[in-house]
Amino acid sequence: MPTLLITSSPSLKDHLQAALDRELEVYDALSVLAEQPQRCAQGVVWVDADNQDEALLARLCRGDFGRARVIVLSSTPSDRQAVQWLGAGAAGYLNAFSQPETLQQVSAVVAADGIWVGVGLMQQLCARFGQVARTDSPLLAQLTEREREVVGHLREGKSNKQIARDMDISERTVKAHLTAIFGKLGVPDRVQLLLKLSS
């Protein structure tokens, strides 16, 4: 699967190539799309949004130039921008100079046709969907009492670390509970869990 990077920053290029441990096709500006739209017919496109044409970037995210999966990078990321770009169709949004482990995780999620959402935004989504998740859902009967307690914390938008602290258990145990809950209810993540409990 081809991987492109659109940036005018040599340091970002070096950082991303080192983190992903591979060479990338690098272009200075989104204008390459107008000249060579076939470049974005498939694969993954990482875009440094800081100095790019927002209208062109929105078109790229929407798929106007092809079916490439777009990951938007920013040196000053915000949840507002995350919502904007994910809503436009981006497959991920994060700090341009994130840790290599995070960049690798994003790459893997997007390559598997997933959408990568940062922790802060994920907590906001969970809190929002948690407000409409039914506490009397018959699906909850499939869970143990401890697993239902974890779901209660998810409804409040808490992170694994906060849940572990509040329940006086390790984060590893929280992850084990979440894996069990997701498996029993047939969902891939916490947002989908809360959405399922809302219906």
Side-chain angles (χ1 to χ4, degrees), residues 60-103:
L60 175 64
C61 290
R62 275 197 314 264
D64 290 357
F65 300 104
R67 295 182 15 210
R69 309 272 292 150
V70 181
I71 301 168
V72 179
L73 303 165
S74 173
S75 58
T76 56
S78 70
D79 288 343
R80 183 191 61 75
Q81 281 188 332
V83 170
Q84 173 190 338
W85 292 121
L86 293 169
Y93 173 86
L94 70 156
N95 189 312
F97 291 95
S98 294
Q99 293 295 315
E101 300 78 27
T102 301
L103 293 167

Side-chain angles (χ1 to χ4, degrees), residues 15 18-20 94 98-108 116:
H15 177 68
L20 300 179
L94 70 156
S98 294
Q99 293 295 315
E101 300 78 27
T102 301
L103 293 167
Q104 291 161 13
Q105 183 181 37
V106 172
S107 180
W116 193 88

Side-chain angles (χ1 to χ4, degrees), residues 147 172-187:
E147 290 167 351
R172 194 170 163 179
T173 303
V174 172
K175 288 179 185 175
H177 283 311
L178 289 172
T179 300
I181 292 165
F182 298 158
K184 288 178 181 179
L185 300 184
V187 294

Side-chain angles (χ1 to χ4, degrees), residues 46-63:
W46 297 76
V47 181
D48 175 6
D50 291 344
N51 297 304
Q52 299 295 340
D53 180 324
E54 284 196 15
L56 268 179
L57 180 51
R59 290 184 61 205
L60 175 64
C61 290
R62 275 197 314 264

Side-chain angles (χ1 to χ4, degrees), residues 11-188:
S11 59
L12 176 57
K13 178 190 119 187
D14 293 344
H15 177 68
L16 198 58
Q17 287 188 156
L20 300 179
D21 194 27
R22 66 176 174 261
E23 289 291 316
L24 305 172
E25 270 187 67
V26 182
Y27 297 94
D28 284 343
L30 277 167
S31 57
V32 71
L33 302 176
E35 300 158 15
Q36 304 173 38
Q38 72 279 7
R39 293 273 182 216
C40 299
Q42 60 182 347
V44 176
V45 181
W46 297 76
V47 181
D48 175 6
D50 291 344
N51 297 304
Q52 299 295 340
D53 180 324
E54 284 196 15
L56 268 179
L57 180 51
R59 290 184 61 205
L60 175 64
C61 290
R62 275 197 314 264
D64 290 357
F65 300 104
R67 295 182 15 210
R69 309 272 292 150
V70 181
I71 301 168
V72 179
L73 303 165
S74 173
S75 58
T76 56
S78 70
D79 288 343
R80 183 191 61 75
Q81 281 188 332
V83 170
Q84 173 190 338
W85 292 121
L86 293 169
Y93 173 86
L94 70 156
N95 189 312
F97 291 95
S98 294
Q99 293 295 315
E101 300 78 27
T102 301
L103 293 167
Q104 291 161 13
Q105 183 181 37
V106 172
S107 180
V109 166
V110 171
D113 287 334
I115 294 178
W116 193 88
V117 178
V119 174
L121 185 57
M122 178 66 78
Q123 287 177 285
Q124 289 180 40
L125 288 172
C126 286
R128 183 171 297 164
F129 294 138
Q131 292 173 4
V132 294
R134 293 177 38 206
T135 56
D136 64 343
S137 171
L139 295 171
L140 293 172
Q142 299 175 47
L143 307 179
T144 66
E145 183 178 334
R146 205 70 165 148
E147 290 167 351
R148 286 193 298 274
E149 189 177 347
V150 169
V151 171
H153 288 289
L154 288 180
R155 290 181 75 240
E156 297 172 19
K158 292 181 181 175
S159 68
N160 289 359
K161 182 180 272 189
Q162 291 169 315
I163 295 170
R165 187 180 57 239
D166 291 352
M167 293 181 66
D168 197 26
I169 56 178
S170 70
E171 280 188 69
R172 194 170 163 179
T173 303
V174 172
K175 288 179 185 175
H177 283 311
L178 289 172
T179 300
I181 292 165
F182 298 158
K184 288 178 181 179
L185 300 184
V187 294

